[in-house]
């Protein structure tokens, strides 16, 4: 049950730890003014599963979005199992190519949406992006799951569950940030 719902025991522990981090203001979030958000920027480790999928879903809903990874190789293709899971959910990740943080070009109105608290801390420490508003994508899931554990090389059932959670969060973001809609 843990593998299919949380990826790993470590994923469950990190999820449990993320709630108090949020409650105590230790998540390194920087809340945006919703009226100023013009683009959703999805961030994860490799930009080949979670953030790549979030970007595809957001674009399909008419949102202005991009994605990048904190530790990846620009040009890398999406993870094979993520491509298959996305396809099962009706999305095509086959054309996705990863972008590394160093190749991401920040724009005014960007909202960084990370998958894990530790990723928010990395963003807060980076001089190029620390001024940008940043939040956890999982704050937009119901129930709120502030840690969306990396499905890379994990159980296929967890991959689908994780991508469904991402998809659900995008639906809430569309409502919360109408200024990020493409005209």
């Amino acid at each position: 049950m843990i593998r299919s719902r949380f990826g790993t025991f470590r994923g469950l522990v990190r999820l449990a730890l993320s709630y108090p981090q949020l409650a105590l203001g230790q998540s390194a979030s920087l809340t945006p003014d919703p009226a100023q958000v013009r683009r959703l920027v999805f961030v994860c480790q490799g930009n080949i599963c979670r953030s790549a999928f979030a970007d595809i879903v957001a674009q399909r809903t008419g949102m202005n979005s991009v994605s990048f990874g904190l530790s990846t190789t620009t040009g890398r293709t999406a993870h094979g199992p993520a491509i298959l899971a996305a396809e099962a959910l009706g999305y095509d990740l086959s054309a996705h190519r990863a972008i590394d943080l160093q190749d991401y070009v920040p724009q005014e109105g960007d909202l960084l949406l990370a998958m894990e608290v530790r990723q928010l801390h990395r963003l807060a420490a980076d001089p190029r992006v620390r001024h940008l508003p940043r939040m956890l994508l999982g704050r937009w899931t119901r129930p709120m799951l502030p840690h969306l554990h990396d499905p890379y090389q994990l159980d296929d059932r967890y991959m689908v569950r994780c991508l469904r959670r991402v998809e659900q969060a995008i639906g809430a973001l569309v409502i919360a940030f109408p200024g990020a809609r493409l005209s």
Side-chain angles (χ1 to χ4, degrees), residues 83-138:
I83 293 172
L84 293 174
E87 186 177 287
L89 296 172
Y91 298 90
D92 184 5
L93 266 180
S94 64
H96 173 77
R97 297 297 176 264
I99 297 172
D100 185 72
L101 168 60
Q102 298 310 312
D103 296 316
Y104 157 69
V105 179
Q107 294 180 6
E108 188 175 326
D110 279 359
L111 169 59
L112 305 177
L113 293 150
M115 308 297 156
E116 304 174 24
V117 170
R118 64 187 177 153
Q119 294 167 350
L120 286 181
H121 285 280
R122 284 200 50 198
L123 294 167
D126 189 297
R128 289 182 58 239
V129 298
R130 71 173 155 223
H131 67 284
L132 295 173
R134 58 192 171 272
M135 302 179 79
L136 292 166
L137 181 64

Side-chain angles (χ1 to χ4, degrees), residues 43-55:
V43 182
C44 70
Q45 194 65 20
N47 191 219
I48 59 171
C49 297
R50 298 168 291 178
S51 62
F53 182 71
D55 188 20

Side-chain angles (χ1 to χ4, degrees), residues 59 62-65 178-183:
Q59 288 179 22
M63 301 301 278
N64 183 18
S65 69
R181 276 200 162 288
L182 293 169
S183 31

Side-chain angles (χ1 to χ4, degrees), residues 22-37:
L22 275 178
L24 297 171
Q26 298 173 343
S27 69
S29 294
L30 185 57
T31 305
D33 172 354
Q36 300 300 313
V37 174

Side-chain angles (χ1 to χ4, degrees), residues 122-160:
R122 284 200 50 198
L123 294 167
D126 189 297
R128 289 182 58 239
V129 298
R130 71 173 155 223
H131 67 284
L132 295 173
R134 58 192 171 272
M135 302 179 79
L136 292 166
L137 181 64
R139 291 189 72 170
W140 302 96
T141 62
R142 293 296 170 256
M144 181 181 72
L145 297 165
H147 178 86
L148 297 173
H149 197 63
D150 191 352
Y152 181 72
Q153 294 188 332
L154 297 182
D155 187 277
D156 289 341
R157 294 170 298 165
Y158 176 68
M159 176 70 77
V160 170

